[in-house]
């Protein structure tokens, strides 16, 4: 009898453990597809008047949901990529404006938790395939003249493999930034050579041509997806594409297919790549348990227009939004966002709540049921209730926007306060021009009635200006914009720049 009484609790625990195991939700695979410089209006499903067909991207929205008020944390790419992987605004780091280049040091601190390391620590197979653009520690060597140069024959450090990814294949930065060479894990694939092409130095030897990158990355991603079907781990694939960023280099298969110049062809090649990943999921039997997200790192790049004026053909990548990539206005950072997850996300749904790409971190944390520590995801909110349709109530208190020149805006509900007089980027009036013209030092727009940001009402609502200014200052001083313990910024944050400077000539 004593033995039975002793064994009974163990049997009960085993029984409860079995019930818990059966009822525990299966962790989904996660594919995060990040287009480069694709505007909101480039996706046909979001812009029915658009001239470019994007059936595969559209399919994600039709089979899942579309979030219509999503923003990259910056109007250029490096800071946006930082926030996606860390859940933190990049202006809290040393990067206050612009982007990194292919030889820059790593931006993500080694001790910082990333989405990839969070998932890796919780049993996921993780891969980054595509454009990194978050800095690398290159090995250096002395030339015959005694100057230091990169030693491409030696391994580099500080890349994706040391930030939570089991596997990496891609490029260091944008396709128009050296070094022009493929990277795999911590090594270069081949050695770069220097020649003139696409108006810049590079690319590398025969194994690297810019027009092959979309296809090569797609093949690697498809291979990774199919390999995971035989494994026991769920997987996370971060797929930051190089397209449709310049150089605009669609392959012959897509040239002339869109009817919207080579830019439209390159968007269609990007869409084809998305379709290949979706097909690989289906063929490997993994589609039903995979969350797929498609988005972009910032708005459409205006430097495409002088050579390929797609707007003259009636295609508007920024739709009705003011500005383009680099700008603090909506066209700089309002981006497409479509997500599908069979059985979890209801097909054909939309949500108009404000979201930031930094929210990916907290959302992943919620999906796998692992709370974030206070020193991680400081600007990340869990938007899973938006994806699953469980709420339409505001989740974010407010959202911070950032331009290429480091100028700020803060969005709360329909109010958007811009802390500079001009675009903060490349569009006219640039900040120095606006300042010299005597324009107000701040801009306030009610996006519910003025989505084009044409009517600055800062003089009519001083109380809104004051409230949002104080909230922005709080976010800076607290080192976070989410509830939790105060954290330290990596560097001082200057909200009010004394000199309104002109933006740099290019951005990633």
């Amino acid at each position: 009898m004593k033995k039975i009484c002793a064994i009974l609790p163990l049997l009960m625990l085993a029984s409860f453990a079995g019930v818990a195991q059966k009822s525990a939700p299966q962790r989904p695979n996660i594919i995060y597809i990040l287009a480069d410089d694709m505007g909101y209006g480039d996706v046909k499903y979001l812009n029915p008047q658009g001239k470019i067909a994007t059936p595969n991207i559209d399919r994600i929205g039709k089979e899942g949901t579309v979030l219509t008020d999503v923003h990259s944390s910056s109007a250029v790419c490096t800071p946006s990529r930082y926030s996606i992987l860390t859940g933190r605004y990049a202006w809290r780091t040393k990067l206050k404006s612009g982007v990194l280049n292919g030889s820059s040091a790593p931006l993500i601190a080694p001790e910082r938790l990333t989405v990839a390391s969070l998932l890796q620590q919780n049993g996921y197979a993780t891969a980054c395939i595509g454009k990194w653009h978050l800095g690398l520690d290159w090995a250096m060597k002395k030339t015959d003249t005694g100057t230091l140069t990169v030693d491409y024959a030696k391994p580099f450090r500080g890349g994706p493999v040391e930030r939570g990814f089991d596997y990496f294949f891609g490029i260091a930065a944008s396709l128009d930034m050296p070094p022009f060479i493929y990277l795999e894990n911590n090594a270069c694939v081949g050695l770069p050579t220097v020649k003139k092409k696409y108006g810049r130095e590079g690319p590398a030897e025969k194994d690297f041509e810019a027009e092959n990158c979309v296809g090569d990355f797609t093949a690697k991603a498809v291979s990774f997806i199919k390999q995971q079907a035989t494994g026991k781990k769920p997987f996370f694939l971060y797929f930051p594409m190089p397209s449709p960023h310049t150089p605009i280099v669609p392959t012959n298969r897509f040239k002339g297919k869109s009817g919207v110049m080579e830019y439209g062809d390159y968007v269609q090649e990007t869409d084809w790549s998305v379709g290949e990943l979706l097909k690989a999921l289906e063929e490997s039997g993994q589609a039903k348990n995979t969350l797929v997200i498609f988005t972009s790192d910032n708005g459409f790049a205006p430097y495409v227009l002088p050579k390929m004026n797609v707007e003259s053909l009636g295609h508007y990548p920024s739709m009705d939004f003011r500005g383009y990539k680099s700008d603090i206005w909506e066209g700089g950072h309002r981006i497409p966002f479509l997500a599908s997850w069979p059985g979890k996300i209801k097909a054909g749904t939309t949500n108009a709540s404000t979201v930031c790409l930094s929210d990916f971190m907290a959302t992943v944390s919620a999906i796998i049921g692992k709370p974030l520590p206070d020193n991680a995801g400081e600007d990340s909110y869990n938007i899973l209730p938006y994806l699953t349709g469980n709420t339409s109530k505001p989740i974010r208190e407010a959202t911070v926007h950032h331009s290429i020149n480091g100028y700020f805006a803060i969005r709360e509900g329909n109010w958007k306060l811009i802390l500079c007089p001009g675009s903060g980027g490349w569009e006219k009036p640039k900040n120095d021009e606006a300042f010299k013209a005597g324009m107000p030092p701040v801009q306030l727009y009610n996006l519910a009635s003025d989505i084009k940001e044409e009517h600055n009402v800062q003089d009519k609502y001083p109380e809104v200006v004051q409230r949002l200014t104080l909230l922005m200052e709080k976010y800076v001083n607290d080192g976070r914009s989410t509830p939790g313990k105060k954290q330290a910024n990596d560097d001082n944050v200057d909200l009010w720049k004394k000199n309104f400077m002109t933006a740099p000539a290019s951005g990633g």
Side-chain angles (χ1 to χ4, degrees):
M1 186 68 180
K2 288 182 179 179
K3 288 184 178 180
I4 294 175
C5 292
I7 294 171
L8 187 58
L10 295 176
L11 293 174
M12 291 175 66
L13 283 173
S15 176
F16 286 132
V19 171
Q21 189 174 10
K22 290 178 182 178
S23 62
Q26 187 178 5
R27 294 175 298 170
N29 306 311
I30 302 171
I31 297 180
Y32 195 101
I33 305 170
L34 184 68
D36 199 354
D37 289 2
M38 182 178 282
Y40 188 100
D42 283 331
V43 176
K44 186 74 169 178
Y45 194 60
L46 306 180
N47 180 17
Q49 305 305 316
K51 304 298 182 182
I52 304 173
T54 55
N56 296 299
I57 299 170
D58 296 352
R59 177 186 161 191
I60 298 173
K62 290 175 182 177
E63 296 180 358
T65 191
V66 172
L67 276 57
T68 60
D69 192 5
V70 177
H71 301 262
S72 54
S73 63
S74 171
V76 284
C77 80
T78 295
S80 291
R81 290 158 197 268
Y82 177 89
S83 71
I84 291 168
L85 291 180
T86 67
R88 186 178 188 235
Y89 293 133
W91 47 262
R92 299 192 187 280
T93 73
K94 62 184 178 181
L95 186 67
K96 305 302 183 185
S97 62
V99 301
L100 301 185
N101 57 46
S103 58
S104 297
L107 184 61
I108 302 176
E111 67 276 8
R112 179 156 287 277
L113 187 70
T114 68
V115 173
S117 56
L118 173 67
L119 290 170
Q120 187 182 60
Q121 291 165 14
N122 286 279
Y124 273 71
T126 58
C128 171
I129 297 172
K131 170 184 164 180
W132 179 237
H133 212 164
L134 284 165
L136 300 167
D137 273 329
W138 293 99
M140 304 299 289
K141 65 179 179 180
K142 281 189 177 181
T143 65
D144 294 339
T145 60
T147 58
L148 282 175
T149 186
V150 174
D151 188 347
Y152 294 105
K154 291 183 179 178
F156 55 82
R157 314 302 301 179
V161 171
E162 290 163 323
R163 298 298 183 269
F165 291 101
D166 300 321
Y167 177 74
F168 168 55
F169 182 87
I171 50 178
S174 300
L175 280 178
D176 54 5
M177 291 182 176
F180 304 104
I181 189 171
Y182 284 143
L183 314 174
E184 188 165 28
N185 294 328
N186 283 331
C188 298
V189 180
L191 295 174
T193 58
V194 177
K195 59 182 179 179
K196 288 286 182 180
K197 196 168 185 179
Y198 311 124
R200 305 208 177 205
E201 287 186 348
E205 51 192 33
K206 292 180 181 179
D207 63 349
F208 183 97
E209 291 289 345
E211 60 264 35
N212 294 335
C213 280
V214 172
D216 289 346
F217 294 157
T218 302
K220 288 283 186 180
V222 166
S223 177
F224 174 80
I225 291 170
K226 290 186 175 181
Q227 287 171 7
Q228 304 317 303
T230 60
K232 296 181 180 179
K233 293 182 175 182
F235 72 83
F236 168 49
L237 171 61
Y238 173 54
F239 189 59
M241 302 186 70
S243 58
H245 191 290
T246 53
I248 307 299
V249 285
T251 53
N252 290 333
R253 175 182 176 183
F254 294 95
K255 284 182 180 178
K257 299 297 184 182
S258 70
V260 191
M261 304 180 181
E262 286 197 339
Y263 177 76
D265 301 340
Y266 209 25
V267 170
Q268 286 202 329
E269 185 164 5
T270 304
D271 180 76
W272 162 82
S273 175
V274 173
E276 292 298 293
L277 269 61
L278 298 179
K279 187 190 303 181
L281 278 176
E282 292 174 345
E283 291 177 349
S284 62
Q286 300 177 97
K288 289 183 179 180
N289 190 41
T290 301
L291 167 62
V292 178
I293 293 173
F294 176 89
T295 188
S296 179
D297 62 348
N298 48 247
F300 168 78
Y303 42 77
V304 171
L305 294 176
K307 292 183 179 179
M308 302 174 205
N309 192 350
V310 297
E311 292 183 347
S312 68
L313 300 177
H315 178 76
Y316 297 93
S318 291
M319 286 183 61
D320 293 332
F321 306 124
R322 185 180 185 182
Y324 304 98
K325 171 184 177 177
S326 82
D327 300 326
I328 201 67
W329 298 316
E330 293 292 286
H333 47 80
R334 189 182 285 229
I335 47 172
F337 189 99
L338 307 91
S340 65
W341 185 4
K344 299 292 184 180
I345 296 177
K346 187 177 179 181
T349 55
T350 61
N351 191 302
S353 303
T354 307
V355 168
C356 183
L357 291 189
S358 62
D359 296 335
F360 184 49
M361 180 71 139
T363 305
V364 166
S365 169
I367 288 172
I368 65 172
K370 296 292 181 179
L372 295 175
D374 273 315
N375 63 346
E378 293 95 330
D379 302 299
S380 189
Y381 284 83
N382 170 25
I383 63 163
L384 186 59
Y386 289 160
L387 299 178
T388 56
N390 289 332
T391 187
S392 59
K393 294 180 180 179
I395 291 174
R396 293 188 134 265
E397 178 183 41
T399 302
V400 178
H401 308 310
H402 207 225
S403 77
I404 190 173
N405 258 349
Y407 289 93
F408 290 90
I410 184 167
R411 168 83 179 279
E412 180 195 57
N414 292 320
W415 289 114
K416 179 180 177 182
L417 175 67
I418 299 174
L419 304 185
C420 66
S423 69
W426 300 324
E427 279 300 287
K428 293 183 178 297
K430 297 179 180 179
N431 279 337
D432 54 352
E433 299 166 343
F435 184 66
K436 290 175 183 177
M439 299 177 73
V442 299
Q443 304 168 63
L444 180 68
Y445 300 104
N446 185 334
L447 297 185
S449 57
D450 184 20
I451 195 61
K452 295 183 179 182
E453 297 173 279
E454 295 176 323
H455 307 289
N456 184 0
V457 293
Q458 55 85 30
D459 57 331
K460 295 182 175 64
Y461 299 94
E463 73 283 359
V464 177
V465 173
Q466 182 181 28
R467 185 182 78 248
L468 293 183
T469 300
L470 291 173
L471 183 58
M472 185 69 228
E473 291 174 348
K474 180 179 184 299
Y475 285 174
V476 171
N477 295 332
D478 288 354
R480 67 185 315 129
S481 57
T482 56
K485 294 180 181 179
K486 285 188 176 184
Q487 299 296 315
N489 297 316
D490 300 349
D491 201 358
N492 291 330
V493 179
D494 180 14
L495 278 180
W496 302 98
K497 296 173 176 58
K498 294 180 180 179
N499 299 311
F500 294 105
M501 60 183 179
T502 303
S506 65

